[in-house]
Amino acid sequence: MSKIQNIFKVVSNEKLCPRFFRLCIDAKSILKKIQPGQFIHIRATDGLEPFFRRPFSVYRAQKYVEIFYEPIGPGTKNLALKKKGDDIDVLGPLGTPFSLPSKNIKQVVMIAGGIGIAPFLAFSDILKKKKNLELILLYGGRTKGHVYPMKEFKANGVKILVATDDGSIGAKGRVSELFSKVKTDPKTTFLYTCGPTPMMAAVQAFAKKYNLQGEAACEEVMACALGACLGCSIKTTEGYKTVCYDGPVFDLNKVIFH
Ligand SMILES: Cc1cc2nc3c(=O)[nH]c(=O)nc-3n(C[C@H](O)[C@H](O)[C@H](O)COP(=O)(O)OP(=O)(O)OC[C@H]3O[C@@H](n4cnc5c(N)ncnc54)[C@H](O)[C@@H]3O)c2cc1C
Ligand code: FES
């Protein structure tokens, strides 16, 4: 798919909860092409540092291209300073999208940890249009500062179950505590997951135990994001694959999580 690199305008940059921000970019040329699960690569500085662009999942793609991020390092801290009307250099869309569930699937379970929730709002915008499809989000955050109201998920008809490490909101413990609360069926359930590697490994173990199919949106530190430097390679049952070009979305049961 052809990629676009351009300077776009920031439309808004708001704090959704103590930890997470949402940045809206007026990038119509990318908006027309981008699909849930794909990402954009942002130049997160007006100077020299950080040198490499930073990858972000598309959080929403309706009027604007939106990302959802946590300021954790130099790039994301720079992004948090962006204001309406500022320029932003974006490359995208990149990578593979989530596949749509096949006709026999009646239940989609999205399992996200922390910032791993980012690709699922745009995905639920599409899935809600499918009839007779139950949408469930299992979300795990460290503490209540990592949980925001998720109003748009609710408006899309997504049933949400939350767990926090300290029990400050939702169930106490990891998101895997919530697996037992969902009745799955190998013929009609499909899993999608994104989040820290140990969490996705737990989702894979759950999928293997109950014979479930699914997809994982993987994350690795990236440099080129074009499949050239091989810096983002991960191990799969089909050999090494690059997260930026072959992924970030992979068959859940084929990734070898380390
Ligand atoms: C396909 C993809 C989609 C992503 N989508 C989002 C998103 O929607 N929202 C968001 O906030 N972040 C997302 N990320 C992660 C984000 O790109 C990185 O955290 C980025 O490095 C932050 O830049 P920084 O300069 O602020 O911090 P850095 O200084 O680059 O990183 C801060 C710390 O996080 C570690 N780190 C960086 N990248 C990763 C990674 N991919 N996996 C594990 N540890 C890492 C670094 O080693 C360092 O310790 C995504 C990453 C990928 C690969
Ligand atoms: S970042 Fe260079 S190959 Fe993926």
Side-chain angles (χ1 to χ4, degrees):
M1 185 187 284
S2 61
K3 296 171 274 296
I4 293 152
Q5 191 246 309
N6 213 336
I7 311 288
F8 299 100
K9 289 284 178 202
V10 169
V11 177
S12 61
N13 192 14
E14 55 172 330
K15 201 176 197 175
L16 290 186
C17 69
R19 301 296 312 169
F20 297 143
F21 283 66
R22 170 193 200 138
L23 178 75
C24 295
I25 306 164
D26 193 359
K28 293 200 176 50
S29 47
I30 294 180
L31 184 73
K32 280 188 217 149
K33 297 174 173 220
I34 200 158
Q35 297 173 58
Q38 290 187 298
F39 66 97
I40 54 175
H41 216 201
I42 296 182
R43 187 154 184 273
T45 176
D46 294 326
L48 291 175
E49 292 291 333
F51 181 74
F52 291 111
R53 289 170 180 268
R54 297 295 194 244
F56 296 92
S57 305
V58 56
Y59 177 64
R60 217 165 204 192
Q62 291 188 328
K63 197 169 173 194
Y64 305 112
V65 174
E66 298 180 27
I67 64 159
F68 183 76
Y69 67 98
E70 179 175 14
I72 53 161
T76 42
K77 284 179 182 164
N78 281 348
L79 282 187
L81 302 174
K82 289 275 181 197
K83 296 182 303 298
K84 182 178 175 186
D86 284 351
D87 287 339
I88 187 160
D89 183 338
V90 181
L91 170 68
L94 297 168
T96 53
F98 289 124
S99 59
L100 290 175
S102 56
K103 277 200 183 129
N104 58 308
I105 298 300
K106 303 279 176 255
Q107 181 191 57
V108 159
V109 186
M110 297 170 274
I111 305 157
I115 206 69
I117 197 169
F120 291 122
L121 182 61
F123 198 35
S124 72
D125 286 336
I126 288 178
L127 295 178
K128 73 169 182 188
K129 294 175 193 153
K130 293 196 163 282
K131 281 193 185 130
N132 303 322
L133 189 63
E134 183 187 21
L135 302 180
I136 300 174
L137 171 69
L138 307 183
Y139 177 72
R142 279 203 291 277
T143 180
K144 66 180 177 189
H146 288 87
V147 182
Y148 67 107
M150 303 185 210
K151 279 188 220 134
E152 291 116 329
F153 282 95
K154 289 176 192 159
N156 282 350
V158 180
K159 183 178 166 194
I160 303 169
L161 298 175
V162 172
T164 45
D165 292 355
D166 59 3
S168 52
I169 188 165
K172 187 172 188 320
R174 299 283 158 88
V175 72
S176 48
E177 298 293 323
L178 303 172
F179 293 167
S180 61
K181 300 194 186 304
V182 182
K183 199 168 174 296
T184 57
D185 176 341
K187 291 197 191 82
T188 57
T189 300
F190 202 89
L191 309 178
Y192 294 91
T193 186
C194 183
T197 302
M199 187 211 79
M200 293 205 287
V203 175
Q204 188 185 63
F206 172 65
K208 286 193 169 150
K209 185 170 175 191
Y210 294 99
N211 206 16
L212 301 169
Q213 299 300 306
E215 288 183 345
C218 295
E219 289 191 7
E220 273 301 322
V221 177
M222 288 184 181
C224 73
L226 299 170
C229 71
L230 306 184
C232 67
S233 300
I234 58 163
K235 223 171 170 182
T236 75
T237 55
E238 295 171 345
Y240 282 96
K241 302 274 179 187
T242 59
V243 170
C244 66
Y245 188 78
D246 302 313
V249 175
F250 294 94
D251 183 327
L252 171 64
N253 290 310
K254 290 186 178 168
V255 179
I256 300 173
F257 293 108
H258 48 83

